[in-house]
Amino acid sequence: MALRGITKRFPGVVANDDINIEVQRGTVHAIVGENGAGKSTLMKILYGMQRPDAGTIEVDGATVHFGSPQQAIKAGIGMVHQHFMLADNLTVTENVVLGAERLCGIGARARRRILEISESYGLGIQPDRLVEDLGVGDRQRVEILKVLYRGAKILILDEPTAVLVPQEVDELFGNLRDLKAEGLTVIFISHKLDEVLAVADEITVVRRGTTVRTVKPSEVTSRQLAELMVGSELPVPQLRTDAVTDKVELSVTDLTVPSEHGRPAVDGVSFEIHRGEILGIAGVEGNGQAELVEALMGMRPSTGVVRLGHGDISDWDTRQRRTAGIGYIPEDRHRHGLLLESPLWENRILGHQNQKPNISGPWIDRAGARADTERIVAEYDVRTPGIDVAAASLSGGNQQKLIVGREMSHQPRVLIASHPTRGVDVGAQAAIWEHLRRARTAGLAVLLISADLDELIGMSDTLRVILRGRIVATVDPATVTPEELGSAMTGATDDAPTEPAGGDSADRSS
Ligand SMILES: Nc1ncnc2c1ncn2[C@@H]1O[C@H](COP(=O)(O)OP(=O)(O)OP(=O)(O)O)[C@@H](O)[C@H]1O
Ligand SMILES: [Mg+2]
């Protein structure tokens, strides 16, 4: 498969500028590059979702033109999107055959075919389970199977590991090796350069829309790869400084969030966060983190007591909590973080409609909001042609930088940060960490939820593990390894050096 001279322009931006990549059959080919470098655009072109302004795609030596994903699928190209697109209330089989009924029907024949594929690539799929009962790693395998079921020979995976714990990443990489052994080709996008080096046969670096170089993992270190992406040397990251004080900024007692199916989503959780402290919460996705965060933001009914400083805010709504100084970086930036169709400067106002610099007296202060948006764009290196473009047109990582910049600009007392660097490149990640550390040293209390265990271990002063809605362990971020933390998160705590959380008495141990 080859991409030759691919060029794609958007208003004010050249997203792809003469991209050239040759991908050998039966290999894993990684594409890396900074946020906004043009990776997703390129994959959308290859998958027929967007038309290039110039350039050609070759599959098996023949030039192809895709007017739609259906045509790409026919040519054997499949894409697994970062946001899973499965229907929760259907079984695995139903999800896989949906839209591809003509292949093997929807009955026993389809089910047999699914088992066949699952077996030949070692996917371990159980065709009759409901998708809602599956973990993230399994869902991803269903997505992959769905693509294989449609006859894909070339698989595109756009940031597939962002939501996986290390054990799941290892499993995924095992699956990719099996696919490769069967002659399939995988194109893989990731910001986690160590993973890229571990799994790829070749790596193409894209910088500002152009292909810089294609290398083999044996030829580069992850640092060199990062420098190829950025085009200059990276600063050496700062070491942790100890800023934790004994003043409690946020205290949560016996917080419980009911759920529709019996067992509460958050079950009697208690903790304290001090001024200058980052409390990390580790857990496999779907163990109550999302509900915990939404309850803390007043977006979801809960019982228990939440105190900000000395005041009980349990009954406050979201607006009151924000105004009192709780910043919020939401997990799902499309649902809660941004108005995608609105320009960047209006997104700057979102959630802070009643605060400076967005208002002057009772009125919205357009000039104030616009000037501050320019500042955020510069300070957080949001790559955009301007502050009047719609948020939807920013690349994933640049949308994230905009949200982080907005939430930090109100100098919150407490920051609830869900996956603050998900999807951002290594350089931007280091910059966001630096911003968070500096604010922490100045007294900010942070609740950090992340699937990136290196981030949790590197940033947290205190680290707890959540499992089925309960805090089940407290681990020492100074000594725990990502593998040990991963085991604690799945409940396999035997070999991990964890101490039981022991109710709220453990809150004072730090
Ligand atoms: N639909 C669109 N309209 C306008 N501009 C767009 C559109 N899609 C992408 N862009 C711009 O094209 C450039 C490349 O974006 P793309 O999403 O391909 O980056 P990326 O490499 O995938 O980045 P990330 O790592 O953040 O996901 C960016 O400057 C982005 O703002
Ligand atoms: Mg992208």
Side-chain angles (χ1 to χ4, degrees), residues 380-411:
Y380 285 80
D381 192 22
V382 179
R383 307 274 169 93
T384 173
I387 62 169
D388 289 303
V389 305
S393 71
L394 292 188
S395 80
N398 283 301
Q399 292 175 351
Q400 185 68 17
K401 292 190 233 171
L402 178 70
I403 294 175
V404 175
R406 175 184 71 202
E407 296 306 317
M408 297 297 280
S409 33
H410 289 275
Q411 278 144 10

Side-chain angles (χ1 to χ4, degrees), residues 10 13 15 34-41 159 191 393-398:
F10 292 111
V13 191
E34 286 186 285
N35 295 131
K39 306 175 295 291
S40 294
T41 302
E159 299 191 38
H191 288 295
S393 71
L394 292 188
S395 80
N398 283 301

Side-chain angles (χ1 to χ4, degrees), residues 313-510:
I313 62 165
S314 313
D315 295 330
W316 289 14
D317 66 19
T318 307
R319 163 84 62 115
Q320 288 171 303
R321 291 180 198 219
R322 275 182 171 285
T323 311
I326 304 185
Y328 176 42
I329 299 172
E331 165 168 12
D332 187 338
R333 56 186 169 232
H334 290 173
R335 250 185 38 219
H336 298 302
L338 294 171
L339 290 171
L340 286 172
E341 301 313 316
S342 302
L344 302 194
W345 72 270
E346 286 184 23
N347 275 284
R348 164 68 189 85
I349 299 176
L350 189 68
H352 303 275
Q353 296 87 332
N354 53 352
Q355 286 163 280
K356 283 192 172 168
N358 300 327
I359 52 161
S360 162
W363 313 109
I364 290 281
D365 181 356
R366 284 175 60 114
R370 292 180 64 88
D372 201 59
T373 310
E374 298 278 11
R375 177 192 61 78
I376 293 172
V377 163
E379 215 166 279
Y380 285 80
D381 192 22
V382 179
R383 307 274 169 93
T384 173
I387 62 169
D388 289 303
V389 305
S393 71
L394 292 188
S395 80
N398 283 301
Q399 292 175 351
Q400 185 68 17
K401 292 190 233 171
L402 178 70
I403 294 175
V404 175
R406 175 184 71 202
E407 296 306 317
M408 297 297 280
S409 33
H410 289 275
Q411 278 144 10
R413 295 168 65 179
V414 172
L415 180 71
I416 312 278
S418 270
H419 310 281
T421 65
R422 181 174 278 175
V424 309
D425 64 55
V426 282
Q429 185 177 46
I432 289 177
W433 286 347
E434 194 51 43
H435 279 288
L436 284 176
R437 286 210 182 92
R438 229 180 291 144
R440 187 268 309 259
T441 306
L444 179 68
V446 181
L447 180 72
L448 174 66
I449 305 227
S450 178
D452 180 337
L453 304 191
D454 294 324
E455 171 168 270
L456 278 174
I457 291 171
M459 293 294 292
S460 302
D461 300 298
T462 312
L463 189 48
R464 311 247 158 137
V465 178
I466 193 168
L467 184 66
R468 290 187 211 97
R470 293 170 178 227
I471 303 284
V472 293
T474 300
V475 299
D476 183 355
T479 56
V480 75
T481 67
E483 287 69 29
E484 289 163 350
L485 185 55
S487 310
M489 288 160 53
T490 52
T493 47
D494 302 351
D495 53 344
T498 57
E499 331 143 9
D504 46 9
S505 64
D507 290 321
R508 267 153 236 131
S509 62
S510 60

Side-chain angles (χ1 to χ4, degrees), residues 163-391:
V163 294
L164 303 181
V165 298
Q167 279 85 343
E168 290 174 320
V169 171
D170 289 344
E171 278 175 43
L172 173 69
F173 287 179
N175 297 146
L176 297 189
R177 291 192 187 99
D178 290 345
L179 293 169
K180 206 167 87 169
E182 297 292 320
L184 272 77
T185 306
V186 177
I187 302 179
F188 171 77
I189 295 179
S190 174
H191 288 295
K192 299 184 181 172
L193 301 181
D194 293 332
E195 292 178 1
V196 166
L197 289 171
V199 75
D201 297 296
E202 287 194 299
I203 306 163
T204 296
V205 181
V206 179
R207 190 196 308 155
R208 298 189 186 241
T210 342
T211 28
V212 182
R213 233 171 100 186
T214 296
V215 295
K216 293 207 162 36
S218 56
E219 300 166 353
V220 284
T221 63
S222 68
R223 198 171 172 82
Q224 289 167 329
L225 208 48
E227 290 177 351
L228 278 175
M229 285 166 44
V230 180
S232 63
E233 282 184 25
L234 286 174
V236 179
Q238 276 262 304
L239 287 174
R240 68 168 76 227
T241 49
D242 204 0
V244 181
T245 67
D246 54 11
K247 183 170 175 295
V248 174
E249 195 72 284
L250 185 78
S251 99
V252 172
T253 313
D254 205 18
L255 187 80
T256 295
V257 179
S259 79
E260 288 122 49
H261 3 267
R263 204 160 37 76
V266 177
D267 196 357
V269 163
S270 301
F271 58 78
E272 290 174 342
I273 312 178
H274 301 84
R275 270 179 69 84
E277 179 181 24
I278 299 181
L279 169 65
I281 303 273
V284 176
E285 294 246 318
N287 276 282
Q289 300 94 316
E291 292 84 356
L292 170 64
V293 163
E294 289 182 18
L296 290 175
M297 289 313 298
M299 299 162 68
R300 194 180 259 278
S302 61
T303 59
V305 180
V306 180
R307 291 173 164 277
L308 180 63
H310 294 295
D312 186 338
I313 62 165
S314 313
D315 295 330
W316 289 14
D317 66 19
T318 307
R319 163 84 62 115
Q320 288 171 303
R321 291 180 198 219
R322 275 182 171 285
T323 311
I326 304 185
Y328 176 42
I329 299 172
E331 165 168 12
D332 187 338
R333 56 186 169 232
H334 290 173
R335 250 185 38 219
H336 298 302
L338 294 171
L339 290 171
L340 286 172
E341 301 313 316
S342 302
L344 302 194
W345 72 270
E346 286 184 23
N347 275 284
R348 164 68 189 85
I349 299 176
L350 189 68
H352 303 275
Q353 296 87 332
N354 53 352
Q355 286 163 280
K356 283 192 172 168
N358 300 327
I359 52 161
S360 162
W363 313 109
I364 290 281
D365 181 356
R366 284 175 60 114
R370 292 180 64 88
D372 201 59
T373 310
E374 298 278 11
R375 177 192 61 78
I376 293 172
V377 163
E379 215 166 279
Y380 285 80
D381 192 22
V382 179
R383 307 274 169 93
T384 173
I387 62 169
D388 289 303
V389 305

